[in-house]
Amino acid sequence: MINAEDAQFHTPDSGQTNWAETNFFGFYNAEEHLNIGVYALFRTNLGIVSSTICMNSGQATTPWHADYCDYQAAMPIPSPRNLLDYRLDNGLHVVCLEPNSVWKIDFDDDAGTRIDVTYRAIMPAFDIHDPDMDPMVSLHADDFSWGTAYNGHFDQTGHVTGSVTLRGRVIPIDCISTMDHSWGPRPERGSPNMSWLHAHFSRDLAVHAIFSFDPEDNGRQLSLTHGYVVERGRVFGLKAGTGEVVRHSDRYAQTVALELVDCDDRTWTLEANGLTTFPWQCWPNMTSFNVLARWQCQGLTGFGEIQDFFELPQLTALNSRAMTRHLPIIEE
């Protein structure tokens, strides 16, 4: 169960220099196809924090093709340390107004790009380690905690309102979206693959799910590890689910088909079409192939982000094998 104190920094494992605590807030303007991600990763035992602020509305295949990118690493963690109110050197200021419920997110790069939004939860924090919330904990012996990075982790869907200013152009934000908070040792090599995605149809219906996949078949088949349906304020943990992904040659999800079963034995069928592409380099050695997608479910249309995580050494190995398969045979 997630408690109010879990909104604050957790005591890191002694001697674990790779201990990390994260905040992620994602939101979008569906009409503009503009997807925004605000991320902070605190290496509390090292005293440093990295942060990425990204905005993208098109088919970006490199960070510099996006509408906006600011990646900064090794900034000092502000003192006194307070995850309920922190201001970073990159211009990000996050205030938790109600623990695990309401956050105010502000950003100003002093060059015409700003964020001014408020996130308000429409559900309790979903603890992936709590069997009372997440049926996958008791149904499956194999625990998926993204290595150890999700030793503590919750996902939560909420209503985000406000605006972003992109080099002087003001864009309104009024959407249902999903955030997360994680803590635990997070090495920069060896994490399993993960697809972290969600579909938001209204305040009355949203779906969030985490899947594992085999990179050898390019993540075509998805296998549920955690997730929920939030319907009219009630949370229904997912107990089974599969997915099939058709990807571009560069691994971005083009279409996704999901079949999910919740704790009330209801089956949910969802289909997505990718609208954007963006390579999010969330920390060294890791790239997430991000897509803002349009989702269909039960005659409803919604929007949400698909994040498919591959490590760079893994990608170079996969690409090398693909190139080898297509090399011409040279006869002596």
Side-chain angles (χ1 to χ4, degrees), residues 133-148:
M133 297 194 80
D134 190 344
M136 299 295 284
V137 177
S138 56
L139 287 172
H140 298 273
D142 295 332
D143 173 55
F144 180 89
S145 297
W146 207 10
T148 55

Side-chain angles (χ1 to χ4, degrees), residues 126 128-129 134-140 142-146 150 153 155 192-196 208-213 222-228 238-242 260:
F126 185 82
I128 67 170
H129 297 292
D134 190 344
M136 299 295 284
V137 177
S138 56
L139 287 172
H140 298 273
D142 295 332
D143 173 55
F144 180 89
S145 297
W146 207 10
Y150 281 9
H153 177 87
D155 302 290
N193 295 88
M194 178 178 71
S195 183
W196 189 89
H208 172 73
I210 301 173
F211 296 89
S212 59
F213 62 83
L222 303 178
S223 178
L224 180 72
T225 60
H226 303 285
Y228 59 80
L238 297 175
K239 69 178 188 179
T242 58
L260 309 171

